[in-house]
Amino acid sequence: MKALLKHTGIALALLVPLAAYSTFSHAETGMPTTNTNEDSMNITAPTSVDSVELNKYAGQWYEIARLPMYFQRNCASDVTATYNLNTDKAGKLNSVEVINQCRKQDGSMMKSEGLAKPANDTGSELKVTFLPSWLRWLPVGKADYWVLQLDKDYQSALVGTPDNKYLWVLSRKPTLSEAVFEDYKKTAKMQGYDINKLEVTTHTGTPKAIVE
């Protein structure tokens, strides 16, 4: 009984901020950040790519840079995201298992597991939840995950939330060329993201995440 009350308390503690996030993110969807410089006339709302083949998108990705969500505050390095497809007996996609991992400042690893479901038929827009499995039926705690730009060979990607708050540059390797990184930053800037706050991720054993 004590264990049940403990887990229930944790879940309720999570629900309040998640509910607030869900409400505000949907209210702000498509509203780009105000920009007063000379490029302001070119700023557009975040736009997902036309389509994503999720079977190609599945697998492990290394985080190269981020505008981080709150839960990443303890991630010091070695951030990865792994996506595994869940299909029915007929091979139809039901959902995507999400496994996020990172190394904390003390060297230990932390992991969070979530579930994503397509928000439309394109595969480029997903709804992701990290609530405990027994609470995922609730209508709160689901965040938007949009693929904003994608390499044709599925080797790198730009992902963000449509409220311009959060952004990730991903790569199949722990490094990304400077040219590709700059191209993704340009796309992000033109879609209203504050790239000045972009944090480059460190990967153990890799001198630089961004290479020439």
Side-chain angles (χ1 to χ4, degrees):
M1 178 61 72
K2 290 183 178 180
L4 177 60
L5 290 174
K6 178 181 179 181
H7 288 299
T8 302
I10 294 173
L12 290 174
L14 287 169
L15 285 179
V16 174
L18 283 171
Y21 169 77
S22 179
T23 300
F24 285 111
S25 66
H26 281 81
E28 296 172 4
T29 295
M31 295 299 292
T33 302
T34 300
N35 193 318
T36 59
N37 65 24
E38 61 183 0
D39 293 329
S40 62
M41 295 301 293
N42 297 320
I43 300 297
T44 65
T47 305
S48 59
V49 297
D50 291 337
S51 65
V52 173
E53 294 182 52
L54 291 176
N55 61 318
K56 292 183 179 181
Y57 194 82
Q60 186 181 64
W61 293 86
Y62 291 88
E63 180 190 88
I64 300 299
R66 68 180 185 249
L67 292 178
M69 281 187 166
Y70 179 73
F71 71 83
Q72 287 190 292
R73 67 193 183 282
N74 294 319
C75 291
S77 64
D78 300 305
V79 183
T80 61
T82 303
Y83 307 108
N84 300 315
L85 304 186
N86 298 320
T87 58
D88 59 21
K89 293 182 179 179
K92 182 179 179 181
L93 177 69
N94 284 331
S95 59
V96 180
E97 178 188 38
V98 181
I99 303 174
N100 290 336
Q101 297 186 88
C102 72
R103 190 177 303 279
K104 297 193 296 183
Q105 194 67 47
D106 63 7
S108 63
M109 297 296 294
M110 60 181 290
K111 179 173 69 173
S112 59
E113 298 184 14
L115 193 73
K117 291 189 176 183
N120 55 28
D121 295 330
T122 68
S124 62
E125 297 180 12
L126 303 172
K127 289 285 188 180
V128 185
T129 177
F130 285 92
L131 286 176
S133 58
W134 52 281
L135 285 174
R136 289 175 183 168
W137 58 272
L138 292 170
V140 296
K142 296 178 176 62
D144 291 296
Y145 178 107
W146 285 18
V147 180
L148 308 172
Q149 190 171 341
L150 180 64
D151 169 64
K152 63 182 180 66
D153 295 320
Y154 287 72
Q155 294 302 299
S156 60
L158 179 69
V159 177
T161 57
D163 57 9
N164 293 113
K165 289 184 177 180
Y166 308 112
L167 187 74
W168 296 271
V169 178
L170 305 176
S171 174
R172 294 295 189 181
K173 299 178 180 180
T175 58
L176 188 66
S177 74
E178 185 175 359
V180 173
F181 185 56
E182 289 299 321
D183 187 51
Y184 283 146
K185 285 169 61 179
K186 180 180 178 181
T187 296
K189 181 178 180 180
M190 297 311 297
Q191 294 195 20
Y193 295 89
D194 186 358
I195 62 172
N196 292 322
K197 295 182 179 179
L198 204 60
E199 300 176 5
V200 175
T201 306
T202 298
H203 288 280
T204 303
T206 303
K208 292 183 178 181
I210 311 301
V211 297
E212 295 181 358

